[in-house]
């Protein structure tokens, strides 16, 4: 029996976060590959957490800095261990390497955390450092790059981030696999059921409130972008959706200004298909954006920034407009809202992006082939990764004894 252990930073919430949707895609990949799947996490579940038991996945609650994990993973003896973000690799990678060294270690980065952090610093603190220097100097960069080296393979969701890792940090090609969202084909029957231009109205902006780029985007939208749009389109509204919206976002609910803060919806597809244009004015962030994918999958054109569209469509035409300041964002929103020809072409571009850049069949084959290659030649693969083995050696020494110190300290309290 093939066995995979997934160590989750959180329990997946596919209805609230793109990260949760990504994790469910990986779980379904392993199910189709006939793996027995165990999902383990130290986190507490929420009301939005997916019920993994329902789809045949074993759920296990694990503890940090505790020897019970050693017994658990030794008894499970998985062929593959998938780390959900580098933080779980830091916490458990050394234990996996020590107890089941033969297991293939795969890191799903979700997005590059250090990239998001540096961009936020530049925006909020007015940093003037050269971008590459700022990336290299950041502590989070060193930790995340080290984690990538320690693993046998890292799944990189954004083509931009893959290029950044290779060009700035010289990460070898064989340690990386560009793997964006794995999505179903949009056929003609599905597309024909979408509401047309005349049956849609208003704008939408969606995003999980725990994610700082999303809250910043909504505030920027409310303060600088929406007032411009509203002057030209006084009867048009914008609707803000998302789980965990903070109070500062809820307070922006203002029906008189056409600005509606609606919170979480369990049926984003229905909402999206009734809306004319999706807006994502992201000023910092990383990875690829689930909100923009949701729009494409429902025939809704997107207006976003270069950071929003980054790494999301390759060389294919974007399904809407990509601009970089408040005035241009407002103009783009208005133009797409009132111009049916532009709107229809943008919708077609979105279908083309989903069917060619995010083809589930092609991407699953790509991942399956890579795993097969690793399984057939893992010793050779690791021997070529000297930096990874060196970092793992020091991690086994330093992190191991720090963890044991914490464990002993907790026993005595």
């Amino acid at each position: 029996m093939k066995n995979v252990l997934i160590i989750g930073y959180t329990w997946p919430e596919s209805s609230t976060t793109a990260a949760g949707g990504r994790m469910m895609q990986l779980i379904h990949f392993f199910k189709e590959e006939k793996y027995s799947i165990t999902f383990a996490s130290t986190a507490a579940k929420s009301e939005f957490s997916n019920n993994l038991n329902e789809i045949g996945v074993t759920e296990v609650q694990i503890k940090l800095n505790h020897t019970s994990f050693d017994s658990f993973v030794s008894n499970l003896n998985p062929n593959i261990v998938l780390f959900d973000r580098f933080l779980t690799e830091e916490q458990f990678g050394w234990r996996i390497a020590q107890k089941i060294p033969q297991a293939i270690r795969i890191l799903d980065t979700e997005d590059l955390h250090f990239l998001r952090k540096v961009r936020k610093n530049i925006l909020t603190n007015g940093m003037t450092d050269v971008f590459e220097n700022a990336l290299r100097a950041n502590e989070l960069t060193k930790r995340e790059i080290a984690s990538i080296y320690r693993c046998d393979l890292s799944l990189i969701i954004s083509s931009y981030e893959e290029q950044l890792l290779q060009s700035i940090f010289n990460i070898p090609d064989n340690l990386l696999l560009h793997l964006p969202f794995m999505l179903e084909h949009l056929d003609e029957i599905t597309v024909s059921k979408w509401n047309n231009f005349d049956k849609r109205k208003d704008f939408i902006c969606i995003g999980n409130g725990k994610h700082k780029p999303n809250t910043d985007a909504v505030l920027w939208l409310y303060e600088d972008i929406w007032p411009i749009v509203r002057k030209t389109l006084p009867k048009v509204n914008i609707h803000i959706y998302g789980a965990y919206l903070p109070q500062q976002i809820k307070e922006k609910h203002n029906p008189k200004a056409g600005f509606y803060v609606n919170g979480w919806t369990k049926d984003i597809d229905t909402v999206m298909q009734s809306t004319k244009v999706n807006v994502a004015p992201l000023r910092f962030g990383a990875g690829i954006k689930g909100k923009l994918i949701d729009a494409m999958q429902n025939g809704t054109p997107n207006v976003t920034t270069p950071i929003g569209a980054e790494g999301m469509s390759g060389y294919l035409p974007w399904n809407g407009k990509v601009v970089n300041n408040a005035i241009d964002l407002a103009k783009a929103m208005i133009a797409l809202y009132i111009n049916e020809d532009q709107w229809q072409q943008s919708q077609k571009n979105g279908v083309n992006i989903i069917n060619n850049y995010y083809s589930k069949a092609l991407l699953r084959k790509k991942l399956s082939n890579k795993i097969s290659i690793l399984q057939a030649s893992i010793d050779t693969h690791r021997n070529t990764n000297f930096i990874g083995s060196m970092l793992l050696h020091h991690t086994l020494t330093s992190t191991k004894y720090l963890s044991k110190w914490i464990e002993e300290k907790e026993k005595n309290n």
Side-chain angles (χ1 to χ4, degrees), residues 90-321:
E90 282 187 332
Q91 295 160 348
F92 296 101
W94 67 272
R95 292 181 183 272
I96 296 296
Q98 187 176 60
K99 295 298 178 181
I100 45 168
Q102 76 284 358
I104 293 172
R105 301 184 296 273
I106 301 176
L107 171 63
D108 183 35
T109 58
E110 296 290 352
D111 59 32
L112 293 180
H113 293 56
F114 70 81
L115 177 61
R116 177 165 19 107
K117 177 71 172 178
V118 168
R119 283 175 166 167
K120 181 177 185 296
N121 289 343
I122 291 172
L123 177 67
T124 58
N125 302 325
M127 290 172 57
T128 58
D129 289 352
V130 175
F131 180 59
E132 289 188 16
N133 291 343
L135 287 177
R136 294 178 188 276
N138 192 274
E139 177 189 352
L140 207 60
T141 305
K142 299 176 177 65
R143 290 170 57 191
E144 196 161 9
I145 294 295
S147 182
I148 289 171
Y149 267 111
R150 286 192 297 264
C151 289
D152 300 311
L153 181 68
S154 290
L155 308 180
I156 310 300
I157 204 165
S158 162
S159 59
Y160 171 84
E161 294 180 6
E162 181 186 41
Q163 293 164 10
L164 182 147
L165 290 169
Q166 292 171 338
S167 62
I168 297 179
F169 299 101
N170 300 314
I171 306 294
D173 291 352
N174 66 342
L175 296 183
L176 306 176
L177 184 70
H178 175 225
L179 192 80
F181 297 136
M182 298 178 281
L183 305 177
E184 297 286 354
H185 183 84
L186 293 173
D187 57 31
E188 292 183 5
I189 295 175
T190 299
V191 173
S192 68
K193 294 178 181 178
W194 290 340
N195 287 331
N196 61 25
F197 181 84
D198 293 331
K199 291 184 179 180
R200 295 176 182 240
K201 66 176 184 177
D202 293 344
F203 295 91
I204 187 174
C205 179
I206 60 176
N208 188 302
K210 288 183 178 180
H211 197 52
K212 291 182 179 179
N214 292 334
T215 55
D216 174 79
V218 174
L219 293 174
W220 190 33
L221 179 62
Y222 180 84
E223 294 166 2
D224 297 332
I225 303 168
W226 183 245
I228 302 173
V229 177
R230 184 73 168 176
K231 284 181 181 179
T232 303
L233 303 172
K235 295 182 179 181
V236 176
N237 304 311
I238 187 163
H239 298 270
I240 311 301
Y241 287 94
Y244 308 113
L245 295 179
Q247 187 61 31
Q248 63 176 333
I249 299 299
K250 294 177 181 178
E251 290 172 353
K252 302 304 180 187
H253 181 72
N254 186 356
K256 289 184 179 180
F259 200 92
Y260 290 82
V261 179
N262 300 305
W264 178 73
T265 175
K266 65 179 180 180
D267 190 1
I268 194 61
D269 293 335
T270 298
V271 173
M272 190 68 80
Q273 287 182 31
S274 68
T275 306
K276 191 167 283 187
V277 177
N278 181 52
V279 189
L282 296 161
R283 295 194 286 184
F284 65 98
I288 58 178
K289 317 306 183 295
K291 56 183 72 63
L292 302 178
I293 291 293
D294 287 337
M296 293 183 205
Q297 288 181 304
N298 288 287
T300 308
N302 283 305
V303 174
T304 189
T305 60
I307 284 178
E310 177 183 274
M312 288 203 59
S313 61
Y315 297 103
L316 299 174
W318 185 246
N319 79 315
K321 295 180 181 292

Side-chain angles (χ1 to χ4, degrees), residues 42 62-69 87 91-92 95 403 406-407 410:
T42 63
I62 53 176
K63 295 180 180 180
L64 275 176
N65 303 309
H66 202 279
T67 54
S68 59
F69 180 83
L87 296 163
Q91 295 160 348
F92 296 101
R95 292 181 183 272
S403 179
I406 293 172
E407 186 176 353
E410 291 179 350

Side-chain angles (χ1 to χ4, degrees), residues 364-382:
R364 285 189 172 182
K365 184 177 181 180
K366 181 180 180 180
L367 178 56
S368 180
N369 289 343
K370 184 64 176 180
I371 289 174
S372 295
I373 291 170
L374 286 174
Q375 289 173 330
S377 58
I378 190 62
D379 290 337
T380 302
H381 177 80
R382 288 174 177 172

Side-chain angles (χ1 to χ4, degrees), residues 333-353:
M333 289 168 64
I334 294 165
L336 203 50
Y337 195 88
I338 64 177
N339 190 312
E340 185 172 358
D341 289 340
Q342 286 186 23
W343 189 91
Q344 288 178 342
Q345 185 59 54
S346 296
Q347 185 184 78
K348 291 177 182 177
N349 291 347
V351 173
N352 192 39
I353 291 169

